[in-house]
Amino acid sequence: MDNNRTAVTIREVYQTYDSKNYVLKGLNMHIPQGTIFGLLGSSGCGKTTLLNSVVGLVGFNSGTIELAVKSKKNMGFMPQKVGLHEQLTVEELLCYFGTLYGMTHTEMQLRMDLMFEVLDLPNRQKFIPELSGGQKRRVSMAVALIHDPELLILDEPTVGLDPILRHRIWQFLVNWCEDGSKTVLITTHYLEETKHTHTVGLLREGVLLCEKSPQLLMEECNTQFLDDAFLSISQQQICEENTTAPIHCKQLIFSSLALTKETFAVPRFAAEFKKNVTYMWRNLSIAIFTFGLPFISILLFYYANGGEPEGFSLAVVNQDLSSCGNYKFQPEICSLNNLSCNYLHRLTQKTFTLVDHKEVSTAIDFAKNNHLWGVLHFVQDFTDALSARIEEPFIKDTVVVENSSIIIFLDSSNKIIHGIIERKLRDSYLEMATDIYQACGYPTKFTDLPIKFEEPIYGNTNPNVKEFLAPGLISLLMFGMPLLYGYVIVEEKNLGATSRSLVAGTTVIEVLAAHLILRVGIQLLQTFCSMVIMYWILQFPLENPFYSTILIILQGLAGIATSFLLSTNLNSFLGISGVVTGSFTVTLFISGMLWPLEGMHPSIKLLSWIAPCTFSTQSLRSLSIRGWDLTNREVYLGFISSCLWMLVSTLIIYLQIRRNKAKSFL
């Protein structure tokens, strides 16, 4: 060992997360090159925070941390969480980190063989979730040692391991440091293990109480046991109030390992991208959900919405004729007899189910109790009265006029069905009148309203609700589907895998770029398949395919940027689930997807302007149904909205990462 060279020097480091309670209070530490430094302390004393500061994962408020190593390739780190990518096998995981450290294939194989021997690692082809807790910790330690680093930082590496393996690990570390070129900073809960260290430090309430060799510490405390020495030192500590820590610095300071100038390397990016592709490939349920949900949603939308409802039941009180059993429908014959039967026959052709009753009151009660949609009442002499009105259009007899009317009681609790039934009842009457006029030689124009609708300016003659809803559906799907990808990023964060990759040398740009390229590829495939299904197979109108496609792609990119924004700010599945569910629900109601914006309350209409799909939905409707182009305000606002969502989300991510470095992935 060379005590004249320092591997780690920490001076007056203060750290707080809320500007009041300090995790580290003026901490000083000195670790000579070629030694093993054992850091002890109770849970919550700041050990993990200190290690994360040394490796550059988090910043501190003031002080300095100086390291002899100047590159992440020369440092190994094993966090308290094992921090392993669970979609990889043991061998794939070691190769992945070996690539991040810049090792050649031959170097990786030689070091791997040594790790399997020293650490008694499980089968190379086993996946991480298949391992026991102890096996995961051994693999985690192998990751930290795979590149033979100069500085090794281990956070409780022997927890959960049997005594024999713990002894082997410590023996390896002692031998590893013998030549004086290797340094180990290790935290442990096992006090007896510190006898292997050159120096021990006791951290309590953010202050390092001692920094001496185990033997010297026991001699000074006049005891034969380390735990008695630590107890004695702890009792002597004068605890300072947290509020006395003189730190009010807003700009965080990071160790040199967080300030690397290298931002992008193809081998590391390729390793990250391969790992992400492997994750999708090996998580079949996620892959099916990611690729299948848009298509299933479109198909369900098409076959479950906008169809013409049928099979309505109506009660009929026909006092005009006792029975229509012998009625024979002959529209080509000029006949003004049995007009109530003529009308009822047309209703059965429109799939109405008719239930005969004698009295109106009993028919209404029956309709209420049996969930019928209405009651039709033909008064006595209905046929005679209606015949008189047809033969003499300007008749003034009010009794004839009243008797020629069909009295209808409808259930209006369902606005859509009420409107459909009302339309079918009206259309059936107009069809009957038109047939009679035509058969009897009367001008059929007399049955028309004095309003003439020409060919529509945009759309078709018989618009349906599907065409109105479809642009909103695909806009919401393309924006919303990428949000679900945030689960992948959050899962890696929670496992500690992303932060460990960053410590191993991967940059934040490489992590985001690997996710971005994969997500964009998935998005383009989803966009292509969704448009094929919606516009080619299901034949929804698409008057301007080029600009429509560009807008849908931009909407997807806006969703991807928003997904990254959420995943770098949220650390739980519950949080991201709540945001995704809430945003879907709110967007669905206020973006003009289900109901025109013109029908909204003014305050809600103002709120809808900041929703991610409002302007894109309006724009896509104008593009696909009206065939407008970018010269129209309603069209270009959709493009502007999508671009703004994308750019603002990207800017916020950039500012956060610039300020917090890797903390966004903890």
Side-chain angles (χ1 to χ4, degrees), residues 589-620:
F589 288 129
I590 71 171
S591 293
M593 297 179 181
L594 303 179
W595 198 258
L597 291 175
E598 292 79 3
M600 291 185 181
H601 189 276
S603 60
I604 301 298
K605 191 173 182 180
L606 286 174
L607 180 63
S608 72
W609 291 353
I610 64 173
C613 297
T614 301
F615 291 110
S616 63
T617 297
Q618 304 303 314
S619 178
L620 192 55

Side-chain angles (χ1 to χ4, degrees), residues 342-524:
N342 187 332
Y343 181 73
L344 292 175
H345 177 80
R346 295 174 187 275
L347 292 183
T348 58
Q349 288 183 322
K350 295 184 184 297
T351 71
F352 280 95
T353 299
L354 306 178
V355 182
D356 291 328
H357 280 269
K358 297 295 185 182
E359 300 291 335
V360 174
S361 59
T362 58
I364 293 176
D365 290 339
F366 182 82
K368 290 180 179 179
N369 296 330
N370 293 273
H371 306 293
L372 271 62
W373 287 100
V375 176
L376 304 184
H377 178 209
F378 298 91
V379 300
Q380 191 173 5
D381 299 328
F382 168 79
T383 294
D384 294 338
L386 184 56
S387 300
R389 286 189 63 178
I390 292 174
E391 291 179 332
E392 190 178 347
F394 303 105
I395 193 169
K396 297 181 180 180
D397 189 336
T398 57
V399 174
V400 172
V401 172
E402 288 184 7
N403 288 346
S404 64
S405 301
I406 305 171
I407 303 171
I408 302 174
F409 305 88
L410 287 182
D411 178 356
S412 61
S413 60
N414 188 315
K415 180 178 178 61
I416 294 176
I417 291 182
H418 177 273
I420 292 172
I421 293 176
E422 195 174 64
R423 173 174 56 80
K424 288 189 174 185
L425 292 175
R426 183 174 56 251
D427 290 348
S428 296
Y429 176 82
L430 292 175
E431 290 170 7
M432 181 181 72
T434 300
D435 287 346
I436 292 174
Y437 274 56
Q438 187 172 359
C440 296
Y442 302 145
T444 57
K445 290 290 183 180
F446 288 167
T447 63
D448 295 338
L449 292 174
I451 300 173
K452 183 179 181 181
F453 290 97
E454 298 290 352
E455 285 294 317
I457 299 173
Y458 299 110
N460 53 52
T461 307
N462 297 309
N464 63 58
V465 69
K466 291 181 184 179
E467 294 179 1
F468 174 80
L469 297 176
L473 171 68
I474 196 167
S475 179
L476 181 62
L477 282 175
M478 293 303 104
F479 181 86
M481 285 304 301
L483 300 183
L484 301 177
Y485 188 80
Y487 286 103
V488 177
I489 301 176
V490 169
E491 182 181 9
E492 287 193 347
K493 285 173 59 176
N494 289 341
L495 290 172
T498 304
S499 59
R500 188 159 192 183
S501 296
L502 292 170
V503 173
T506 305
T507 64
V508 172
I509 292 178
E510 290 163 355
V511 171
L512 292 178
H515 283 299
L516 177 64
I517 297 301
L518 176 60
R519 183 58 241 184
V520 168
I522 294 173
Q523 189 72 23
L524 291 175

